[in-house]
Amino acid sequence: MVTKLCLVGAGSIGRRHLRLLAEREDVELCVVEPNEQCRAAASQEHPQMPFFDSMEAAVRDGGCEAVIIATPHRTHAPLAIKALELGAHVFVEKPMSDSLEDCVALLNAAKKSDKVVSIGFMFRFDPFVRKVKEIIDSGKIGKIIHYSSRFATYNTLRCSVTRHQEHTPYSLVMDCIHDSDLIYHFTGRIPDYAYSVAY
C-alpha cells in the first residue's frame, strides 16, 4: 500500500524529510515550497519530485492523505489547521507553534477532526530514551529531582535557510525543544524552574 504525502517546506529540516521519504517505496511524495532558493535546491536533489504551488492543490488535486509541515515556527499551527480542514492527517515539525494561542487553536482543530495530528518529538521513540524512561518508571532510581541536558553541536540555527530565527523570540529554546520535552516525558511533570548557560 502506498501513502500519498505532501511535504510543505523544503528548507533545512524539510530537505531531511524529503531525502528520507524519497528512499521509501511505500510513499508517494510531493512538495510545496514557495521559496525559490529552497525549491531549486530540492528540485536539483530530486529532479523527478512533483511540486505543487499550494497545499490545497496537493491535497485536492494530488490526492495527498497526509501533510508534513516543516516551515518556520510561526506558520506551523495555521498550516496544520488548514491541512485538517482539507481532510488530511498532519505531522508538524517541532515546535507546535511559537505562540500559546496558536497551540490552543491547533489543539481545538485536532479535537474537532477525525484526523491524526502528531508533533515531531521523535526522540521519545529512540531506543536509548525508551530504556531510560522504563528505568525511571520502574522506580529503581527513586524520584527525579534534577535533570541536566547539554548540547553543543546543534546545527538547526546554522542550517536555517530562511533565517526566521533572527526575528523569532526564544527561537533557540524552540529549536532545542527536545530537551524540554524529554524532561516532561521522563517525569510527567512540568519543571518547577529551568535555567541555561550558553556560550
Side-chain angles (χ1 to χ4, degrees):
M1 181 176 162
V2 174
T3 303
K4 288 189 168 186
L5 297 178
C6 170
L7 172 66
V8 181
S12 58
I13 300 291
R15 278 165 65 193
R16 286 182 232 172
H17 283 292
L18 180 54
R19 176 176 52 82
L20 295 169
L21 289 167
E23 295 173 359
R24 294 183 59 144
E25 294 180 6
D26 60 341
V27 168
E28 189 177 313
L29 187 64
C30 69
V31 178
V32 173
E33 177 51 75
N35 180 293
E36 287 300 325
Q37 179 187 355
C38 294
R39 187 173 178 144
S43 293
Q44 187 173 6
E45 292 167 4
H46 304 276
Q48 306 303 317
M49 185 64 57
F51 281 80
F52 283 85
D53 291 329
S54 70
M55 180 172 59
E56 291 85 348
V59 173
R60 289 190 180 133
D61 304 334
C64 291
E65 306 157 60
V67 173
I68 299 168
I69 297 171
T71 55
H73 306 146
R74 69 185 174 279
T75 65
H76 287 183
L79 286 171
I81 292 167
K82 176 56 99 178
L84 289 171
E85 290 169 353
L86 291 167
H89 301 287
V90 182
F91 175 87
V92 184
E93 259 301 342
K94 50 84 185 162
M96 186 175 180
S97 175
D98 65 350
S99 82
L100 180 59
E101 293 78 15
D102 280 353
C103 288
V104 170
L106 176 51
L107 180 62
N108 289 335
K111 285 178 179 176
K112 283 188 227 170
S113 172
D114 64 345
K115 301 301 177 186
V116 174
V117 178
S118 182
I119 313 299
F121 291 122
M122 73 346 160
F123 281 132
R124 289 185 178 201
F125 305 98
D126 181 276
F128 175 79
V129 169
R130 291 173 75 164
K131 186 63 179 176
V132 170
K133 173 84 171 133
E134 179 188 316
I135 292 168
I136 291 170
D137 288 349
S138 75
K140 290 178 186 173
I141 59 173
K143 181 179 175 184
I144 304 294
I145 59 170
H146 177 80
Y147 176 95
S148 177
S149 173
R150 181 178 180 178
F151 54 91
T153 58
Y154 203 73
N155 285 322
T156 296
L157 294 176
R158 258 184 1 157
C159 295
S160 172
V161 177
T162 61
R163 309 306 299 165
H164 66 91
Q165 293 93 341
E166 293 176 10
H167 311 289
T168 305
Y170 313 110
S171 61
L172 185 60
V173 171
M174 285 187 272
D175 278 336
C176 301
I177 198 70
H178 289 299
D179 299 78
S180 301
D181 177 63
L182 287 179
I183 295 171
Y184 181 76
H185 180 59
F186 286 148
T187 66
R189 295 179 54 225
I190 295 172
D192 296 322
Y193 67 91
Y195 75 94
S196 65
V197 177
Y199 61 90

